[in-house]
Amino acid sequence: MVALTARTAGHWGKKMWFDKPSSAPHTLPSSPCWWEPIRSNVLEYAGLQKGPDGLLEQPSKLVITYIVRQGRSNALKEEDHLELVEALEELKRKNRWEVNIVTMERYTKEEQLRLAGRTTVSTADYATLAMRPESIS
């Protein structure tokens, strides 16, 4: 059995002895590929399609996703944010890569998972487990 939780949901209940409510106090040894079957099932549920080989279809070009955190305490300085957006748009024009500049709170959980599952390179103040293992965040 596997349980997926949202870290923010942990703040709704009683405080635990460690300060990150959904953080695990222990790590367990596992295969480097242990997450892939779970990831694949979650992303298929969210709407990503499997190809004829039974694997999730992946974009043929680089997909860069910048998760905007402006308006929060951990946001970039506005000038840095604008410079990053400009640089990403330039990469999109020059290389014909897909560039997504998103505020995740505006998307449903399924849309967030679909986007993360297609993303090759992610930038934000945190990484995501939905990305492919060879992805960069």
Side-chain angles (χ1 to χ4, degrees):
M1 173 186 256
V2 174
L4 299 178
T5 63
R7 183 175 180 272
T8 54
H11 291 283
W12 300 339
K14 293 181 182 177
K15 271 291 195 189
M16 303 299 281
W17 60 270
F18 47 92
D19 73 348
K20 292 183 181 177
S22 64
S23 297
H26 305 286
T27 58
L28 301 173
S30 65
S31 160
C33 302
W34 73 271
W35 179 249
E36 187 55 30
I38 299 164
R39 175 190 165 276
S40 179
N41 286 336
V42 169
L43 293 176
E44 184 179 15
Y45 168 81
L48 284 182
Q49 301 298 311
K50 287 192 175 184
D53 57 3
L55 300 174
L56 288 172
E57 292 181 355
Q58 298 298 326
S60 58
K61 58 186 170 185
L62 194 67
V63 178
I64 302 171
T65 299
Y66 167 38
I67 301 170
V68 177
R69 309 289 287 173
Q70 297 309 97
R72 293 176 173 235
S73 61
N74 56 352
L76 293 175
K77 290 188 271 182
E78 188 61 22
E79 60 268 20
D80 293 338
H81 162 72
L82 294 173
E83 190 175 327
L84 178 56
V85 168
E86 185 178 319
L88 290 170
E89 293 295 346
E90 182 67 19
L91 285 172
K92 180 179 181 177
R93 280 190 297 277
K94 283 185 176 178
N95 301 296
R96 296 183 171 218
W97 293 338
E98 179 181 334
V99 174
N100 303 290
I101 300 170
V102 299
T103 303
M104 290 301 233
E105 292 82 4
R106 296 182 182 159
Y107 292 83
T108 67
K109 294 295 182 196
E110 290 81 7
E111 290 168 328
Q112 291 179 30
L113 286 168
R114 281 194 298 271
L115 178 60
R118 296 183 65 255
T119 295
T120 313
V121 178
S122 173
T123 185
D125 62 345
Y126 59 89
T128 177
L129 292 175
M131 291 174 56
R132 296 190 313 271
E134 68 274 7
S135 302
I136 303 166
S137 69

